[in-house]
Amino acid sequence: MTTDNESVFSGTDDLLQSLLESDPFLRPYKEVLKRRIVNIHEMKKRLTRGNISLVEFAAGHEYFGLHFFDGEWIFREWAPNADAIYLIGDMTGWLEKETLFALKRIKRDGVWEIRMPEGTLKHGDFYRLRIHWHGGEGDRIPAYARRVVQDPETLIFNAQVWLPSSTYKWQCNDFQSPSDALFIYEAHVGMAQEEEKIGSYREFTRHILPRIVDSGYNVLQLMAIPEHPYYGSFGYHVSSFFAASSRFGTPEELKELIDTAHAAGLAVIMDIVHSHAVSNEVEGLSCFDGTCYQYFHDGPRGLHEAWDSRCFDYGKYQVIHFLLSNFWLDEYRFDGLRFDGITSMLYRHHGLGKVFTSYEHYFDDNVDEDALTYLALANSLIHEVRPDAITIAEDISGMPGLAMPLSEGGIGFDYRFAMGVPDNWIRLIKHVSDEEWHIGHLWHELTNRRKDEKTISYSESHDQALVGDKTLISRLIGSDIYNHMRVSDENIMVDRGIALHKLIRLITLTTAGRGYLNFMGNEFGHPEWIDFPREGNAWSYRYARRQWHLVDDPDLKYHFIAQFDRDMIALARHFRIFEFYGPYLLFEHLKDKVIAFERGYLLFVFNFHPTCSYDNYSFEVLPGKYRMIFESDACEYGGHGRLLADQYHLTLPDTSRCKERHLLSLYLPTRTAIVLQRVEI
């Protein structure tokens, strides 16, 4: 008799056909890939017991935590090592009370419960747990808490009863995520405002959303939404995985932000961190029930030394239940999730100091196949809840199949970030003068991606502007950015920086796979880095903000850069360039620093040379008539206006060689990019 497991294993050949055809180098690892598919199937079967859906399984947030139902309060927690648990807070004077507030163990696997009359708790009450275990005790924030607040004076975190008299009334009820390419605007609510303080959801809704819509992006990616104790962690050391950070406002105000974005045509995705958790014990999950291994691996494997955080055990049933039950897509109507730090999840070495130069690195014993299984299940769940949802993987290793459908033997992400692109730009700008940029190598770095997976490119993100680094524009211009950005001020370093900034962004976008990302402020060349309040800067908010007045001032050159970015995005969306495979290289010349390529119906020509403009520069193209529809040197973009708008160019036959070809001859000013549309054949 054939077992169910054997049946699945035999059927994996069909699933893997597409993956192996697209990348023959994976064939030696076919058996490993088959085993991974079986692992995913077996774990899903185990979780659902074969008789419920994955969506029904992933409802831990409806069972655990605090709920008001049928006139009584019900609270449940999973703490297998606990000997006793008490609910303490405003309602108990922060004392343990045996009657009414002591939890009872109701299941052998460590589930505790308490039921309380309606009047026991009220909206706004603060509470936490006091957990006793053999040899110790400690206060803990409930793992499934949906509202966690920090006292501004004591800085202590507590869970908060959140049952407002009226729930948020959604206005935009039929929003669908974009089915075409993604143009993502990455933002941090707290540092989005101009003032030296923490911004709020409501301020973001009123003041920042209109800017994003006006810029032409169609997806908003929000960072630092789940609660995190240390503001300066950028939200990447999460403590409460079900609580929207209260430092930015209320749950209703976050819902209003998302609702307003939907009404304006913006999808909203969330930066989610399931790769690790904060090591804090009171605020986080570490040593929650007195053991280090409740949610995490025991011993050294449970510690991420580089990040000072804890590493989840993705092979444990209750951990998968906890992580899959994240409810952001239904409760807050997020349109997708960008999974952070996937490389750290996928490998036991977390990718630290590792250069992935061989396929063997994707299939050896360092791979955490439990993490792979979890990611596949997470993608399956997300797309079952929301078929139009967007999932993005942040992985620097290049793990094959990560952004391929589960039905084709992949892990199921819709997109992956092309993380090598911004890294390459930083290396070039830091260490190589643009006179020495190798155009062929640049093309390789921009287009080096798996053809079977959709990728999102970007020239810089928040990573490039964190403490100790600089934005691209500040590196390109240097200190002159502080004194010579007035429109009336002629400065060679400013001219250089703005010209290269435009070229970098345009070639990054037009060579991207299926999407493009920008971090807020970079679209106008924000000059400052990002530095959160900390002891080292006397807890200053000076750099934890965005200086919008710079782009709003018509006497400063920042508005030129913003206008270029706006028109660049509009061009890409109008001509739907990501729907066309490519780009296809037509011509590149190392010494001249010229590169030309086509995508769809458009021809892109870049002259990166710092000093040489070229008259009648010729290269082979398809025969026809071409109209220049966009160019970076226009005066409205801070350029020198050396080209005439809407110029038409005719190809000419070249019979000097044995095979006839057609040449396009162009004037290419220094540090300029032009876009031409083929209008006649």
Side-chain angles (χ1 to χ4, degrees):
M1 178 180 293
T2 303
T3 65
D4 186 47
N5 193 37
E6 290 171 341
S7 176
V8 172
F9 194 81
S10 63
T12 56
D13 287 329
D14 293 334
L15 288 178
L16 289 173
Q17 182 177 355
S18 178
L19 182 61
L20 297 180
E21 286 180 356
S22 64
D23 188 353
F25 290 104
L26 289 173
R27 293 189 183 279
Y29 307 100
K30 181 178 179 179
E31 296 305 310
V32 180
L33 291 167
K34 290 172 69 173
R35 185 186 69 234
R36 290 176 178 178
I37 292 174
V38 172
N39 289 345
I40 295 166
H41 172 83
E42 286 298 302
M43 180 57 77
K44 184 174 183 179
K45 182 180 176 182
R46 175 189 169 197
L47 300 178
T48 61
R49 300 184 180 90
N51 57 20
I52 63 172
S53 70
L54 197 58
V55 174
E56 291 174 293
F57 166 78
H61 59 288
E62 298 296 342
Y63 180 79
F64 291 106
L66 181 66
H67 302 277
F68 184 74
F69 184 72
D70 280 351
E72 71 173 345
W73 292 96
I74 304 173
F75 178 87
R76 299 186 187 95
E77 192 69 70
W78 174 62
N81 190 56
D83 294 328
I85 304 178
Y86 296 90
L87 197 69
I88 63 173
D90 291 336
M91 71 296 296
T92 70
W94 299 96
L95 300 174
E96 296 179 14
K97 292 192 176 181
E98 190 69 37
T99 58
L100 196 59
F101 295 101
L103 279 69
K104 296 180 180 178
R105 187 189 289 266
I106 62 170
K107 292 185 179 181
R108 291 181 179 178
D109 62 355
V111 177
W112 297 72
E113 180 185 87
I114 183 173
R115 294 173 179 261
M116 298 165 285
E118 179 177 358
T120 308
L121 304 174
K122 66 180 185 300
H123 174 67
D125 281 348
F126 293 109
Y127 69 99
R128 59 170 58 188
L129 300 176
R130 181 159 296 153
I131 301 179
H132 295 258
W133 56 83
H134 181 69
E137 63 179 71
D139 285 5
R140 298 290 186 266
I141 303 296
Y144 286 81
R146 298 196 186 187
R147 173 77 172 169
V148 177
V149 178
Q150 184 179 30
D151 186 285
E153 300 298 328
T154 65
L155 304 182
I156 293 174
F157 284 88
N158 283 297
Q160 186 177 36
V161 178
W162 199 255
L163 190 68
S165 56
S166 61
T167 58
Y168 181 78
K169 300 296 189 296
W170 293 90
Q171 303 300 310
C172 188
N173 293 299
D174 56 356
F175 183 82
Q176 293 287 306
S177 299
S179 57
D180 53 358
L182 306 187
F183 295 86
I184 304 174
Y185 196 94
E186 183 185 30
H188 185 288
V189 170
M191 60 170 287
Q193 80 301 319
E194 179 102 17
E195 298 178 60
E196 296 185 21
K197 64 168 191 173
I198 297 176
S200 69
Y201 297 126
R202 184 149 288 174
E203 288 171 323
F204 191 95
T205 303
R206 292 175 178 174
H207 305 303
I208 310 305
L209 275 182
R211 293 182 181 273
I212 300 171
V213 173
D214 183 57
S215 296
Y217 293 83
N218 62 0
V219 178
L220 168 62
Q221 178 181 310
L222 288 178
M223 308 169 62
I225 295 300
E227 193 60 80
H228 45 289
Y230 180 46
Y231 187 45
S233 75
F234 238 81
Y236 291 124
H237 281 71
V238 176
S239 53
S240 297
F241 287 77
F242 295 84
S245 181
S246 61
R247 56 170 57 88
F248 307 134
T250 67
E252 288 69 34
E253 289 166 349
L254 174 56
K255 292 175 182 178
E256 180 188 23
L257 187 164
I258 296 169
D259 203 14
T260 306
H262 286 168
L266 273 176
V268 187
I269 62 177
M270 190 181 83
D271 216 347
I272 197 165
V273 185
H274 283 180
S275 50
H276 63 134
V278 72
S279 57
N280 299 38
E281 295 185 0
V282 176
E283 297 90 357
L285 299 174
S286 185
C287 297
F288 187 83
D289 66 353
T291 62
C292 292
Y293 50 82
Q294 182 183 354
Y295 286 94
F296 311 106
H297 287 288
D298 196 13
R301 193 178 171 191
L303 301 173
H304 197 304
E305 295 184 358
W307 293 350
D308 186 26
S309 56
R310 302 302 312 277
C311 300
F312 287 108
D313 182 350
Y314 303 103
K316 187 176 287 187
Y317 174 95
Q318 295 89 343
V319 173
I320 297 178
H321 193 213
F322 176 80
L323 293 175
L324 286 183
S325 296
N326 264 256
F327 67 141
W328 300 99
L329 271 66
D330 50 11
E331 178 70 17
Y332 286 95
R333 300 194 181 181
F334 278 97
D335 303 296
L337 302 171
R338 177 265 198 187
F339 281 73
D340 177 75
I342 284 183
T343 308
S344 179
M345 296 176 68
L346 292 178
Y347 306 95
R348 297 190 183 195
H349 52 61
H350 307 303
L352 298 174
K354 189 74 174 179
V355 179
F356 294 86
T357 56
S358 167
Y359 272 50
E360 183 65 30
H361 298 148
Y362 305 128
F363 299 99
D364 62 21
D365 293 338
N366 282 307
V367 176
D368 187 340
E369 296 202 358
D370 288 335
L372 264 177
T373 298
Y374 166 71
L375 290 171
L377 292 173
N379 276 286
S380 177
L381 170 68
I382 290 166
H383 291 111
E384 189 173 342
V385 172
R386 280 277 303 271
D388 66 317
I390 301 163
T391 60
I392 304 173
E394 188 216 34
D395 168 49
I396 63 172
S397 75
M399 171 68 75
L402 199 60
M404 284 192 72
L406 291 162
S407 60
E408 297 179 15
I411 303 302
F413 283 97
D414 298 309
Y415 301 86
R416 69 188 309 156
F417 278 144
M419 299 184 68
V421 172
D423 290 344
N424 183 63
W425 284 123
I426 281 293
R427 284 194 300 269
L428 278 178
I429 294 170
K430 277 185 176 182
H431 305 299
V432 184
S433 64
D434 52 299
E435 290 88 348
E436 301 298 326
W437 287 3
H438 193 294
I439 298 300
H441 177 73
L442 175 60
W443 175 260
H444 171 76
E445 291 294 335
L446 289 169
T447 58
N448 181 26
R449 54 178 173 266
R450 299 186 63 82
K451 295 180 180 180
D452 52 4
E453 302 185 39
K454 294 185 289 188
T455 59
I456 296 168
S457 291
Y458 51 105
S459 55
E460 58 180 330
S461 70
H462 65 266
D463 292 324
Q464 279 73 43
L466 288 172
V467 179
D469 213 325
K470 298 179 180 178
T471 60
L472 287 185
I473 194 73
S474 62
R475 283 201 174 277
L476 289 167
I477 295 177
S479 60
D480 284 353
I481 199 169
Y482 296 106
N483 303 306
H484 298 285
M485 285 295 285
R486 302 197 72 80
V487 173
S488 59
D489 192 343
E490 295 294 332
N491 181 276
I492 189 171
M493 290 302 296
V494 170
D495 284 352
R496 170 189 183 269
I498 292 178
L500 284 176
H501 193 266
K502 290 181 291 186
L503 266 60
I504 288 170
R505 297 176 75 77
L506 181 62
I507 199 170
T508 300
L509 185 153
T510 52
T511 58
R514 288 293 297 275
Y516 176 76
L517 175 139
N518 165 71
F519 179 67
M520 64 176 184
N522 289 344
E523 73 278 7
F524 69 83
H526 197 284
E528 300 287 9
W529 58 89
I530 300 162
D531 189 2
F532 282 90
R534 54 189 175 85
E535 189 175 0
N537 65 14
W539 304 103
S540 170
Y541 287 88
R542 180 179 177 184
Y543 298 110
R545 61 191 180 110
R546 299 286 88 176
Q547 300 181 55
W548 301 107
H549 75 276
L550 296 174
V551 69
D552 293 339
D553 189 340
D555 292 328
L556 297 177
K557 295 181 180 180
Y558 295 100
H559 75 277
F560 292 143
I561 306 173
Q563 186 62 51
F564 176 83
D565 193 85
R566 188 178 301 114
D567 291 350
M568 175 185 75
I569 296 295
L571 175 83
R573 294 189 66 177
H574 176 75
F575 286 96
R576 308 175 78 88
I577 66 169
F578 291 141
E579 293 185 9
F580 296 93
Y581 192 76
Y584 296 100
L585 181 65
L586 296 178
F587 177 86
E588 62 99 357
H589 196 287
L590 174 60
K591 183 179 178 182
D592 293 347
K593 298 290 183 286
V594 172
I595 187 168
F597 56 91
E598 63 179 5
R599 190 163 194 179
Y601 304 108
L602 300 182
L603 172 63
F604 301 90
V605 187
F606 290 77
N607 177 13
F608 278 93
H609 204 287
T611 58
C612 290
S613 295
Y614 303 108
D615 289 318
N616 298 318
Y617 200 92
S618 300
F619 53 91
E620 185 178 4
V621 296
L622 291 173
K625 184 178 181 180
Y626 291 79
R627 179 172 69 95
M628 188 181 73
I629 59 174
F630 187 68
E631 51 104 356
S632 66
D633 195 49
C635 293
E636 60 264 33
Y637 305 143
H640 298 285
R642 293 169 288 183
L643 293 166
L644 296 176
D646 293 321
Q647 292 181 82
Y648 285 87
H649 302 270
L650 293 171
T651 59
L652 296 173
D654 176 21
T655 58
S656 62
R657 301 186 181 185
C658 57
K659 180 181 179 182
E660 181 177 290
R661 59 182 189 153
H662 294 265
L663 301 179
L664 187 64
S665 183
L666 301 171
Y667 170 49
L668 301 179
T670 59
R671 290 182 178 138
T672 296
I674 63 175
V675 183
L676 302 105
Q677 180 185 15
R678 189 167 177 241
V679 293
E680 289 183 16
I681 299 175

